[in-house]
Amino acid sequence: MSEWRDYKLGQLAEVLSSKRIFYKDYVDEGIPFYRSKEIIEKTQNKSIDEPLFISEERFKKIKKQFGAPSDGDLLISSVGARSGIPYLVNNDGDFYFKDGNLIWFRNFKDELCSEFLCYWLKSAIGQFELQNMMIGSAQPALTISGLRELDISIPKPEEQKSIASVLSSLDDKIDLLHRQNQTLEQMAETLFRQWFVEESDESWEWRQLDVFVDVHRGLSYKGSGLTDAANGIPMHNLNSVFEGGSYKESGIKYYKGEFKERHKVFPGDIIVTNTEQGHEHLLIGYPAIVPSNFGEYGIFSQHIYRLEIKSTLSNFFLFYLLKTHDVHEQIAGATNGSTVNMLPKDGIEWVKFRLPPQVLIDNFTKNASDYDEKQVLNQTQIRTLTALRDTLLPKLMSGEVWVEPDKRAKKEEV
């Protein structure tokens, strides 16, 4: 096993911010620039729906004077509750980033592999060090000077590259499975839109959703009731739904307090968010289907509704119906509130839609169910690979587990 050496991070890479971009520099199209929000979305493999731009002329001027991130550079979120999330620049082409909430690492010395640093910052060791050096309480923040003085222990570069290669191969497999699942869901969504929106028949009768669905309120709970997976039952909550719909497994919470039978939720049930900070309608009113991997049942919080189908509709039909533009516009129009936007029950119950023939609903449900089975298999693999990666990460970063350097790669470099 190789010897690990101690450094200050500032000894191994240049740590700096960017040239400030003002609102007057924004243009409708050109070179994209990212804030902390967009960088965090990119680490989660999300597409950026509304990118911001500066002109190509402005970008070239900034790049010439101050430089711009390139492949192998690293950015890290530095302000707020989501500080300390690293992003390794890779095949992005030309882009820039707004200073203030991001810190930039570049010009890495030969002793440090930037991909290894990215994984070290993600690990429990790196996150512990970052938490200890944050300043502020209400708004925690990382500083350039603090990061330059951050202590880091690293093996030889060739071993760093081997460690990063092991972890990135797992991440690549996980990302591929996520993309496959996104494609499968898009296929079902496209089929729904084709059959029930683009090819809808004017003879189909307009109906109101409350005829087919009961809307149930979730559990109003106190934070003291939250616990870990070993001591509580799964509680599906606002963070269990992605913006735009679909289930987010990483958002699950666990609860050990009292609840009633009506607060239970079961695999296959539809949940819908009823709360959102602000009024952008990116999350509120969007649905998810509860997966089976959290057990036979869980509970759901007051920030989401559970929809119980009474007749005719299927959970897959209802899920994709609630994601359509027309239906979500109806739901968004029923929301209210100042700082926190709220969706009342009747905002869902009063939704109107054209009811297709039962045979079409049944045929769509069969197709969507086939897609869903493939997604479930992929999600099982994702959980297995993620657990393996998360188990290996701290062991590799502490030297507990050793990876032999790839001698072939080392020979090629020479």
Side-chain angles (χ1 to χ4, degrees):
M1 184 177 292
S2 65
E3 180 183 352
W4 288 50
R5 297 185 61 186
D6 297 328
Y7 295 91
K8 299 288 186 184
L9 192 50
Q11 296 176 281
L12 302 173
E14 187 178 2
V15 187
L16 68 164
S17 63
S18 66
K19 173 66 176 175
R20 186 170 178 80
I21 300 172
F22 297 95
Y23 285 109
K24 63 181 177 62
D25 295 320
Y26 292 12
V27 295
D28 293 334
E29 58 182 26
I31 302 297
F33 72 86
Y34 302 147
R35 301 162 297 178
S36 179
K37 175 179 180 290
E38 285 81 24
I39 289 297
I40 291 170
E41 287 177 351
K42 289 179 76 63
T43 65
Q44 300 171 341
N45 295 313
K46 291 184 180 179
S47 59
I48 298 172
D49 295 328
E50 298 182 3
L52 302 172
F53 300 98
I54 56 174
S55 69
E56 189 170 347
E57 179 183 359
R58 178 69 171 141
F59 172 74
K60 288 180 177 178
K61 184 177 179 181
I62 293 174
K63 186 174 182 179
K64 182 178 180 180
Q65 187 175 3
F66 297 97
S70 58
D71 285 0
D73 288 359
L74 191 144
L75 302 172
I76 186 169
S77 57
S78 60
V79 178
R82 305 190 74 181
S83 298
I85 297 177
Y87 171 70
L88 186 70
V89 179
N90 184 24
N91 296 322
D92 270 286
D94 287 338
F95 80 97
Y96 201 62
F97 70 98
K98 189 175 182 179
D99 64 339
N101 294 337
L102 290 165
I103 292 175
W104 179 15
F105 297 85
R106 68 176 185 181
N107 295 332
F108 285 83
K109 299 291 192 293
D110 292 339
E111 291 86 353
L112 179 61
C113 166
S114 61
E115 191 173 13
F116 175 88
L117 175 62
C118 187
Y119 281 112
W120 186 87
L121 290 168
K122 290 179 182 178
S123 72
I125 297 171
Q127 287 294 305
F128 178 79
E129 296 294 339
L130 292 176
Q131 290 295 324
N132 280 345
M133 61 164 290
M134 285 187 187
I135 63 171
S137 52
Q139 185 81 327
L142 297 169
T143 65
I144 291 174
S145 59
L147 286 168
R148 287 172 179 161
E149 292 298 312
L150 183 63
D151 293 317
I152 181 170
S153 181
I154 56 175
K156 292 180 179 178
E158 56 267 25
E159 188 175 340
Q160 293 178 43
K161 292 174 183 177
S162 294
I163 289 172
S165 177
V166 168
L167 294 169
S168 63
S169 66
L170 291 171
D171 276 338
D172 289 344
K173 292 176 183 177
I174 292 168
D175 291 344
L176 176 60
L177 291 167
H178 276 303
R179 288 197 298 271
Q180 289 178 357
N181 276 358
Q182 290 169 2
T183 299
L184 288 165
E185 188 166 312
Q186 288 167 1
M187 289 168 65
E189 196 166 343
T190 299
L191 186 64
F192 185 95
R193 186 170 60 251
Q194 180 185 344
W195 285 10
F196 304 117
V197 179
E198 297 169 0
E199 298 177 4
S200 65
D201 194 316
E202 290 188 2
S203 66
W204 296 353
E205 184 180 358
W206 283 97
R207 303 296 297 273
Q208 195 161 287
L209 197 55
D210 63 347
V211 175
F212 307 96
V213 170
D214 283 332
V215 181
H216 300 280
R217 297 184 186 277
L219 172 70
S220 180
Y221 69 97
K222 295 182 179 179
S224 58
L226 296 178
T227 184
D228 55 26
N231 296 299
I233 62 172
M235 183 172 72
H236 309 276
N237 58 88
L238 189 63
N239 197 34
S240 297
V241 183
F242 280 113
E243 291 183 354
S246 299
Y247 194 87
K248 182 168 68 171
E249 292 196 5
S250 61
I252 195 70
K253 294 180 180 178
Y254 293 89
Y255 182 73
K256 62 180 180 180
E258 295 182 354
F259 61 91
K260 299 184 183 299
E261 189 70 20
R262 67 174 182 269
H263 297 135
K264 286 185 177 181
V265 66
F266 301 88
D269 282 351
I270 301 287
I271 54 176
V272 177
T273 57
N274 61 32
T275 308
E276 182 175 9
Q277 292 286 339
H279 296 80
E280 295 180 308
H281 303 129
L282 301 176
L283 179 62
I284 195 167
Y286 277 110
I289 298 177
V290 175
S292 59
N293 59 290
F294 291 113
E296 294 182 3
Y297 73 90
I299 58 175
F300 64 109
S301 76
Q302 76 270 30
H303 297 127
I304 56 177
Y305 293 128
R306 178 175 69 86
L307 273 53
E308 179 184 3
I309 297 174
K310 296 186 287 188
S311 64
T312 304
L313 308 184
S314 70
N315 60 345
F316 291 116
F317 180 90
L318 180 58
F319 172 73
Y320 288 103
L321 176 69
L322 292 169
K323 290 187 71 176
T324 61
H325 176 76
D326 177 65
V327 167
H328 190 257
E329 284 292 295
Q330 293 181 60
I331 291 174
T335 61
N336 58 76
S338 52
T339 304
V340 178
N341 206 15
M342 304 293 293
L343 172 65
K345 280 178 59 179
D346 56 27
I348 297 175
E349 294 167 339
W350 293 355
V351 162
K352 292 181 172 58
F353 69 103
R354 286 187 185 275
L355 179 65
Q358 188 64 46
V359 64
L360 273 183
I361 294 176
D362 292 342
N363 286 341
F364 172 78
T365 300
K366 182 181 183 307
N367 281 282
S369 179
D370 290 341
Y371 295 145
D372 182 68
E373 285 182 13
K374 295 175 183 176
Q375 288 179 272
V376 169
L377 290 174
N378 284 347
Q379 197 61 43
T380 300
Q381 292 184 62
I382 288 171
R383 284 192 293 272
T384 300
L385 291 170
T386 301
L388 175 59
R389 181 201 61 195
D390 292 347
T391 299
L392 281 174
L393 182 58
K395 296 179 183 295
L396 289 168
M397 292 300 143
S398 65
E400 182 181 344
V401 172
W402 182 65
V403 176
E404 184 177 0
D406 189 336
K407 296 178 181 178
R408 291 171 301 174
K410 186 176 179 183
K411 185 176 180 181
E412 288 173 4
E413 288 176 5
V414 174

